[in-house]
Amino acid sequence: METLKHWINGEYYEGQPLDTFDIDNPATGQVDKKLLLASPADLDYAVEVAATAQKKWREVSLAKRVEIMFRMRQLLLDNQDTMARLIVEEHGKTYPDAIGEIQRGRETLDFACGINTALKGEMSYNISTGVDIHTMRQPVGVVAGICPFNFPAMVPMWMHPLAIATGNAFILKPATPTPSASLFTAELYKEAGLPDGIFNVVAGEKETVQAMLTHPGIDAISFVGSTPVAHIVQETGVKNGKRVQALGGANNHAIVMPDADLKFAAKHISAAAFGAAGERCMALPVVVAVGGVEDELADLVAEEARQIRVGSGMDQNTDMGPVISAAAKKRIVGLIDSAEKAGATVTLDGRDLIIEGFENGYFMGPTIVTNCPLDNELYTNEIFGPVLTIITAQTYEEAIELVNASPFGNGSAIFTNDGGMARRFTHEVEAGMVGVNVPIPTPVAYYSFGGWKNSLLGDRHIHGPEGVSFYTRGKAITSRWPSDSGAYGATMTFEREE
Ligand code: NAD
């Protein structure tokens, strides 16, 4: 059995592990690897190494930093097959999905390749006689990134390319079930010429996260995960003087208006609800069908969903892999059971799916639920599985009220052919990322990504321009050069003559 170590100071590091974590393959249920979990002393070592390396790295020219980012981008492209296989093995998603997440993550590297432009400051000449002002942004120091299991490559890439390109050192704590993409990233950075100690991977569970949140040597924390943990991270991190951005969970709703092209909507809703087994923070678990279209829409979505082939992520005929763990499957099935008991109708049922040859895998089929009481936990919780709940509203006003009553506000979408209706929705909806006939409106990486309400704690979204701002501190410099040359000197001469 393979043992996965940390990556500190440009090499694998064993340290004094507190414990180990068994990593299983969700398609087979078999434990294939063990992951070492860091002790506080291991984290101390990583922080010390990162802080020392960062003092030199922040002085490295922008030209050199950009060169390393370009090399890293190419290495990621050349090695995406290896990385995708590691993701499928540990996460279970399909191979094309894994390639897709690497490509979306690489967008942040593309943006980081232009960090010289993104870091430009401002300058005003002669704000007072002989006095100028200019601004610059400088790195915060040592940044920690704490990541969820569902995008083992993309979510860390929302963080480290910008943190590093802006002159920081980075310590990544991957989710324990899916750490290999992070370790592989470390090897690629080394090959790209990044100095040792600037990118480190420290694995652990909540003890390690607590140690990061209180560690005096860590200056900023980027967190992506569930809302309860986001609250812990935000509160503890801020109490300990750190800059924190904490992206939380979601329960994204789409409104389907009666004038929408229902066939088009159904195709995209099916992909958004069941793609990656619903384990996306931008997945679409709830649809609000407006003005009586619910039955036709449910039938059309079911028609699409029945075509989804569930199986091992490495099988090229598979459209949807397993969920992450036996516990996750039990939780999702339990929520569907509870809704059914409360009177909901399960119009497409994926609870009992068994895949031949993979009987111990954590598979579920696409599931559609209608008539779900709105106080039932299937609707109020984040499902994070391949389940679509269709609720109803008579009017747009009723629908938007339902959407905005959600305590989450990550993404939301409307399906309509009425431009005025769409414009009103984009203005009124309380969510950070909004789609018009686009069910998963994840912004490209040169824009920033982030939700509202319980989907993001902190005031800065991740990657794009807000990412640059998060990983840097502003400085405004006011300067005067009292001498006889130039504008100030001329004024002095004039004053002397008087
Ligand atoms: P999680 O919150 O369980 O874990 C996230 C990270 O926090 C992991 O590294 C984990 O080790 C650590 N952690 C877990 N419990 C902790 C605790 N009690 N104290 C301190 N640290 C702890 O999330 P997950 O199950 O890995 O990922 C799924 C969740 O992430 C979903 O809620 C999903 O919506 C969310 N997510 C959000 C976004 C977004 O952009 N908003 C993106 C991806 C995933």
Side-chain angles (χ1 to χ4, degrees):
M1 178 152 344
E2 194 184 351
T3 298
L4 304 181
K5 300 176 185 169
H6 316 288
W7 178 277
I8 303 176
N9 209 16
E11 59 188 8
Y12 284 106
Y13 179 78
E14 191 165 332
Q16 303 139 20
L18 275 188
D19 205 346
T20 57
F21 177 86
D22 289 344
I23 300 175
D24 57 1
N25 181 330
T28 60
Q30 198 176 310
V31 174
D32 296 325
K33 304 171 193 170
K34 277 192 184 302
L35 175 68
L36 301 184
L37 302 178
S39 62
D42 298 336
L43 179 67
D44 284 346
Y45 173 56
V47 174
E48 193 191 315
V49 158
T52 307
Q54 194 265 338
K55 285 189 181 67
K56 283 192 187 156
W57 176 241
R58 70 184 179 199
E59 302 305 333
V60 168
S61 71
L62 282 174
K64 180 79 188 155
R65 286 190 224 162
V66 163
E67 196 185 312
I68 291 172
M69 285 296 145
F70 267 107
R71 257 190 255 134
M72 179 63 183
R73 184 194 180 280
Q74 189 58 44
L75 281 168
L76 195 64
L77 202 57
D78 297 344
N79 291 280
Q80 64 178 6
D81 172 66
T82 308
M83 187 176 275
R85 285 170 191 275
L86 292 170
I87 294 171
V88 177
E89 237 170 65
E90 295 176 359
H91 178 282
K93 65 177 67 179
T94 64
Y95 179 85
D97 253 358
I99 292 285
E101 81 156 278
I102 296 167
Q103 284 170 349
R104 290 306 311 258
R106 208 176 55 232
E107 284 178 12
T108 308
L109 265 168
D110 296 349
F111 187 69
C113 289
I115 201 67
N116 40 11
T117 309
L119 271 183
K120 280 200 293 200
E122 294 170 320
M123 199 269 175
S124 296
Y125 176 72
N126 230 25
I127 53 166
S128 184
T129 308
V131 181
D132 306 329
I133 187 166
H134 72 277
T135 62
M136 61 169 82
R137 296 205 68 89
Q138 294 187 312
V140 292
V142 176
V143 176
I146 301 162
C147 293
F149 77 83
N150 65 322
F151 284 111
M154 182 186 76
V155 167
M157 274 195 272
W158 286 353
M159 305 171 181
H160 55 75
L162 285 189
I164 291 173
T166 50
N168 299 283
F170 193 80
I171 301 176
L172 171 58
K173 196 213 81 65
T176 38
T178 54
S180 288
S182 298
L183 293 167
F184 188 56
T185 300
E187 291 183 21
L188 296 183
Y189 266 129
K190 179 147 183 136
E191 202 180 331
L194 187 72
D196 293 344
I198 296 302
F199 181 81
N200 307 281
V201 181
V202 174
E205 292 189 306
K206 64 180 179 192
E207 297 74 15
T208 306
V209 173
Q210 277 297 335
M212 286 175 151
L213 298 176
T214 53
H215 202 295
I218 292 178
D219 303 288
I221 309 262
S222 288
F223 170 86
V224 177
S226 62
T227 294
V229 183
H231 276 287
I232 295 172
V233 169
Q234 165 80 359
E235 281 153 29
T236 317
V238 168
K239 219 179 265 170
N240 284 276
K242 300 182 196 324
R243 184 177 281 211
V244 180
Q245 57 179 182
L247 280 72
N251 193 15
N252 306 316
H253 289 43
I255 294 177
V256 178
M257 294 301 292
D259 70 320
D261 177 339
L262 290 189
K263 232 175 148 27
F264 170 88
K267 184 173 156 61
H268 288 274
I269 288 167
S270 170
F274 308 126
E279 291 174 328
R280 292 174 174 143
C281 63
M282 289 294 277
L284 186 63
V286 181
V287 160
V288 191
V290 179
V293 297
E294 58 272 14
D295 290 342
E296 190 182 348
L297 185 68
D299 287 348
L300 287 169
V301 177
E303 214 175 280
E304 295 286 341
R306 279 195 197 93
Q307 293 170 35
I308 294 173
R309 296 161 300 179
V310 183
S312 156
M314 281 315 294
D315 181 340
Q316 58 181 9
N317 293 317
T318 292
D319 301 309
M320 181 176 120
V323 297
I324 185 71
S325 62
K329 180 172 175 181
K330 193 168 165 213
R331 181 186 59 78
I332 298 161
V333 169
L335 287 170
I336 303 167
D337 291 346
S338 103
E340 200 174 30
K341 269 197 206 112
T345 316
V346 182
T347 63
L348 183 67
D349 193 347
R351 281 174 287 190
D352 297 325
L353 184 72
I354 303 281
I355 303 293
E356 216 186 304
F358 293 90
E359 288 77 6
N360 295 322
Y362 316 131
F363 293 97
M364 287 189 66
T367 298
I368 300 176
V369 177
T370 58
N371 301 314
C372 182
L374 295 187
D375 60 355
N376 185 269
E377 51 185 358
L378 172 71
Y379 173 65
T380 56
N381 280 14
E382 178 182 28
I383 183 80
F384 225 57
V387 183
L388 174 70
T389 301
I390 300 181
I391 60 174
T392 59
Q394 283 317 305
T395 59
Y396 163 79
E397 286 75 12
E398 214 184 289
I400 190 80
E401 209 170 300
L402 279 167
V403 174
N404 286 346
S406 169
F408 300 100
N410 217 32
S412 189
I414 191 166
F415 285 91
T416 180
N417 276 321
D418 179 341
M421 184 85 269
R423 183 170 180 268
R424 181 174 168 192
F425 169 77
T426 56
H427 185 68
E428 291 178 350
V429 69
E430 293 174 9
M433 294 168 282
V434 180
V436 175
N437 298 313
V438 174
I440 303 191
T442 304
V444 286
Y446 43 98
Y447 284 77
S448 299
F449 177 111
W452 286 17
K453 303 194 272 190
N454 272 337
S455 296
L456 188 146
L457 312 174
D459 60 2
R460 238 79 59 95
H461 288 195
I462 208 161
H463 70 58
E466 293 202 22
V468 174
S469 155
F470 183 76
Y471 296 124
T472 55
R473 293 179 287 192
K475 195 177 260 183
I477 299 110
T478 305
S479 52
R480 170 157 58 196
W481 294 95
S483 75
D484 280 346
S485 59
Y488 187 63
T491 310
M492 292 291 285
T493 309
F494 175 72
E495 280 170 4
R496 270 190 222 125
E497 277 173 8
E498 261 193 346

